[in-house]
């Protein structure tokens, strides 16, 4: 699944960025016919598209919105419902909250005629578009070929108007005057020095190649433009892919924010209720057993052990009976000087003749269910020793 996703992404990026195709070769339709493509070469056919038209657009949204869908809604009256016109978006500027560019339209029949003649071996663009670098991206370019003059007015490589004039309608210089008048009426201006007229029969392949490379380098949106059916389909897939990606990112961001808010709420609850959590074990022990304990877990463990027979309970009676039973086995020379009783621990102090007697007492107490830890052992002047033993419940660590 991941490999399939990567392959799809690579194909989309190749369609988006002509750099993936290697060297770009610019040709006219007449020169392109019959010429085989070199390996790794992307060929671009500069054609006099008679039915093409460009409409500038500006939207207050960025990449997160489906541009093609917005353009189809905006230009529905132009495109119609029958599919006779192809729409090719050219986004010249796309930021976080704005999108600018031009929506190109062309007759599907004319595009298919070019594809049949070229064999579907090249990208197809309006010929004046490739020569915009000759006017610095701002001005008017006219391309004369096959009995017509195709004119393109652009500002900063953003198409403003494209129109094709037949030779019967007007000459190229008259077409230039008409375009300049239109620009003035639309609030723009085309300086005379920014008007260039090219004849397809006179322009050299080297001049077209140089101008086309400069245009594509200065205008990535022009480099991505392709009027062919395959190019339009790739652009549509690309737009749909990025719309899906941004939708997935929005969903992931919303889920992340929800988890963050939930985590912060749990953190705040833990901070403000930590005192309640700390006192909860003692309160539960008091409610369940009716007595207080500073170590409720230890007290519960002791009670369970006593009930299950795993040791003695350090009740006063239990300690006395256990110590008395062990003491009966000791020699008469041993003395018990003190017994300090505690519910958690009991301490014995006494005297013995040697360490063997102390160890024997310790073993006897262990057999009676106590856990015994040896305390201080001191020699007594005149012979013998003083010792102390610490008793706790049987089964607890020493």
């Amino acid at each position: 699944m991941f490999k399939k996703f990567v392959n799809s992404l690579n194909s989309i990026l190749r369609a988006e960025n002509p750099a993936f195709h290697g060297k770009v070769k610019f040709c006219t339709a007449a020169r392109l016919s019959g010429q085989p493509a070199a390996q790794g070469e992307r060929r671009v056919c500069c054609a006099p598209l008679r039915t093409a038209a460009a409409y500038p657009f500006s939207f207050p949204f960025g990449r997160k919105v489906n541009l093609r869908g917005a353009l189809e809604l905006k230009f529905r009256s132009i495109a119609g419902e029958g599919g006779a016109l192809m729409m090719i978006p050219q986004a010249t500027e796309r930021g976080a909250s704005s999108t600018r560019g031009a929506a190109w339209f062309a007759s599907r029949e004319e595009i298919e005629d070019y594809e049949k003649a070229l064999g579907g071996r090249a990208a197809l663009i309006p010929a004046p578009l490739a020569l915009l670098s000759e006017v610095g991206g701002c001005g008017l370019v006219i391309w004369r070929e096959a009995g017509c003059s195709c004119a393109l007015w652009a500002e900063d490589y953003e198409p403003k108007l494209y129109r094709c004039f037949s030779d019967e309608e007007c000459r190229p210089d008259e077409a230039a005057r008409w375009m300049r008048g239109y620009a003035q009426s639309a609030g723009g201006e085309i300086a005379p020095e920014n008007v260039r007229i090219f004849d397809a029969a006179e322009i050299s392949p080297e001049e077209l190649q140089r101008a086309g490379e400069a245009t594509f380098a200065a205008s990535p949106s022009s480099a991505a433009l392709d009027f062919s059916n395959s190019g339009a389909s790739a652009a549509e897939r690309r737009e749909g892919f990025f719309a899906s990606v941004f939708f997935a990112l929005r969903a992931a961001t919303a889920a992340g924010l929800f988890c963050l808010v939930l985590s912060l709420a749990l953190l705040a609850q833990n901070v403000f209720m930590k005192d309640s959590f700390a006192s909860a074990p003692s309160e539960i022990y008091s409610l369940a057993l009716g007595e207080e304990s500073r170590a409720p877990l230890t007290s519960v463990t002791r009670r369970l052990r006593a009930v299950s027979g795993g040791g003695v309970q350090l009740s006063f009676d239990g300690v006395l009976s256990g110590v008395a039973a062990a003491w009966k086995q000791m020699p008469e020379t041993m003395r018990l000087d003190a017994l300090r009783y505690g519910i958690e621990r009991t301490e014995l102090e006494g005297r013995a003749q040697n360490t063997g007697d102390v160890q024997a007492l310790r073993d006897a107490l262990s057999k009676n269910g106590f856990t015994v830890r040896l305390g201080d052992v001191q020699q007594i002047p005149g012979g013998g020793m003083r010792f102390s033993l610490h008793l706790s419940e049987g089964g607890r660590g020493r």
Side-chain angles (χ1 to χ4, degrees):
M1 180 66 71
F2 178 74
K3 185 177 181 181
K4 184 178 180 181
F5 170 78
V6 171
N7 291 336
S8 300
L9 180 60
N10 287 337
S11 64
I12 289 169
L13 290 176
R14 288 189 183 95
E16 175 79 22
N17 188 355
F20 280 96
H21 298 272
K23 180 176 174 59
V24 180
K25 177 75 172 179
F26 294 87
C27 300
T28 62
R31 292 170 184 166
L32 188 63
S33 300
Q35 292 185 6
Q39 179 146 12
E41 181 181 75
R42 178 192 182 223
R43 297 195 295 179
V44 176
C45 177
C46 304
L49 300 180
R50 296 172 180 267
T51 62
Y55 293 86
F57 66 81
S58 178
F59 291 125
F61 56 73
R63 287 188 176 273
K64 295 183 179 181
V65 178
N66 188 336
L67 176 60
R68 180 175 292 273
L71 289 174
E72 289 176 350
L73 185 63
K74 179 178 177 67
F75 296 106
R76 179 179 297 174
S77 59
I78 297 175
E81 300 293 341
L85 288 180
M86 295 178 57
M87 184 186 70
I88 304 94
Q90 181 185 359
T92 57
E93 179 184 338
R94 202 161 189 179
S97 58
S98 64
T99 302
R100 294 174 54 87
W104 287 88
F105 293 89
S107 166
R108 190 176 297 275
E109 182 179 359
E110 181 182 17
I111 299 302
E112 290 175 351
D113 289 342
Y114 270 108
E115 288 187 321
K116 290 177 183 177
L118 302 174
R121 298 169 299 167
L124 190 63
I125 64 170
L129 184 74
L131 296 161
L132 282 178
S133 60
E134 296 297 293
V135 294
C138 297
L140 174 65
V141 176
I142 297 177
W143 176 274
R144 186 176 181 279
E145 182 181 0
C148 67
S149 299
C150 299
L152 175 62
W153 167 39
E155 294 290 340
D156 293 329
Y157 291 94
E158 180 180 311
K160 297 296 184 181
L161 178 67
Y162 178 91
R163 182 176 176 184
C164 188
F165 302 85
S166 66
D167 287 350
E168 291 80 8
E169 186 179 357
C170 64
R171 298 188 305 272
D173 57 340
E174 294 174 340
R177 284 195 295 273
W178 189 95
M179 293 289 289
R180 291 183 62 194
Y182 176 87
Q184 187 173 8
S185 67
E189 183 178 357
I190 303 175
E193 61 271 18
N194 289 338
V195 177
R196 295 293 305 274
I197 300 175
F198 298 90
D199 194 304
E202 298 176 359
I203 189 171
S204 67
E206 294 77 17
E207 185 179 4
L208 178 60
Q209 182 69 26
R210 176 187 55 78
E213 289 179 352
T215 298
F216 277 19
S219 174
S221 65
S222 299
L225 199 63
D226 186 359
F227 279 61
S228 66
N229 279 295
S230 60
S233 298
E236 189 171 357
R237 291 196 309 270
R238 181 171 62 249
E239 188 70 28
F241 172 81
F242 282 111
S244 300
V245 168
F246 282 116
F247 176 79
L249 288 176
R250 286 196 298 268
T253 301
L257 288 175
F258 175 77
C259 292
L260 177 61
V261 171
L262 183 61
S263 299
L264 291 176
L266 291 174
L267 178 61
Q269 184 182 30
N270 289 338
V271 170
F272 291 113
M273 299 186 67
K274 61 181 181 179
D275 294 336
S276 299
F277 292 152
S279 61
S282 298
E283 293 177 359
I284 294 172
Y285 180 87
S286 177
L287 291 173
L289 300 176
E291 62 181 40
E292 301 293 334
S293 176
R294 290 179 296 177
L297 182 59
T298 302
S299 300
V300 169
T301 303
R302 184 176 65 249
R303 284 178 172 270
L304 290 175
R305 199 177 286 126
V307 170
S308 61
V312 297
Q313 184 177 4
L314 286 188
S315 64
F316 186 69
D317 293 341
V319 170
L320 289 181
S321 60
V323 172
W327 196 263
K328 291 179 181 179
Q329 305 173 33
M330 297 301 104
E332 295 182 358
T333 55
M334 290 189 67
R335 296 289 185 270
L336 181 62
D337 296 331
L339 185 152
R340 297 184 180 88
Y341 168 76
I343 193 171
E344 297 289 341
R345 189 180 68 173
T346 296
E347 183 178 353
L348 302 179
E349 289 186 1
R351 288 173 289 175
Q353 293 296 318
N354 50 61
T355 55
D357 294 343
V358 177
Q359 186 60 42
L361 176 59
R362 182 178 181 182
D363 293 341
L365 290 170
S366 297
K367 292 178 182 179
N368 289 344
F370 295 103
T371 294
V372 185
R373 183 171 61 85
L374 183 62
D376 295 335
V377 179
Q378 299 176 351
Q379 292 290 334
I380 300 175
M385 60 184 61
R386 186 178 297 278
F387 66 89
S388 65
L389 297 174
H390 302 283
L391 310 182
S392 57
E393 292 181 9
R396 295 177 59 184
R398 299 187 176 202

